[in-house]
């Protein structure tokens, strides 16, 4: 079901930023056109599915911390670094 999918990239910012974090009620996120997912970028969200597209290289610490509803994470082969507690 793609009706509740939000595509996040540097040119499309549908999420609201608060204290350096993306805040939104969506549950399925595709992250494209980025090489790094920043510290606490999606912390404290109700995300269920995360799909990170090819080209991303790094997931910073605490990027998805306290995403307790998370069920699936799709990582590309291009990821070469996942920092501490990125998915805690």
């Amino acid at each position: 079901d793609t009706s509740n999918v939000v595509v996040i990239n540097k040119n499309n910012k549908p999420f609201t930023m608060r204290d350096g974090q993306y805040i939104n009620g969506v549950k399925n996120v595709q992250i494209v056109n980025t090489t790094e997912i920043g510290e606490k970028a999606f912390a404290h969200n109700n995300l269920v599915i995360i799909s990170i597209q090819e080209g991303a290289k790094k997931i910073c610490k605490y990027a998805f911390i306290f995403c307790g509803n998370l069920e699936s994470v799709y990582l590309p082969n291009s990821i070469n670094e996942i920092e501490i507690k990125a998915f805690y």
Side-chain angles (χ1 to χ4, degrees), residues 19-85:
D19 299 327
Q21 297 174 310
Y22 291 108
I23 307 298
N24 195 306
V26 300
K27 296 181 180 185
N28 186 347
V29 174
Q30 293 179 7
I31 302 170
V32 300
N33 296 332
T34 190
T35 57
E36 182 175 303
I37 299 167
E39 184 174 326
K40 297 182 182 178
F42 294 92
H44 301 278
N45 268 289
N46 292 318
L47 298 173
V48 175
I49 300 171
I50 299 167
S51 179
I52 302 170
Q53 301 300 307
E54 196 64 39
K57 298 185 182 308
K58 179 179 180 180
I59 302 173
C60 294
K61 63 184 177 182
Y62 314 122
F64 298 97
I65 194 167
F66 300 123
C67 290
N69 295 324
L70 196 56
E71 294 177 5
S72 299
V73 177
Y74 300 96
L75 301 176
N77 290 328
S78 59
I79 293 285
N80 59 29
E81 183 177 2
I82 300 175
E83 291 187 345
I84 188 169
K85 296 185 180 179

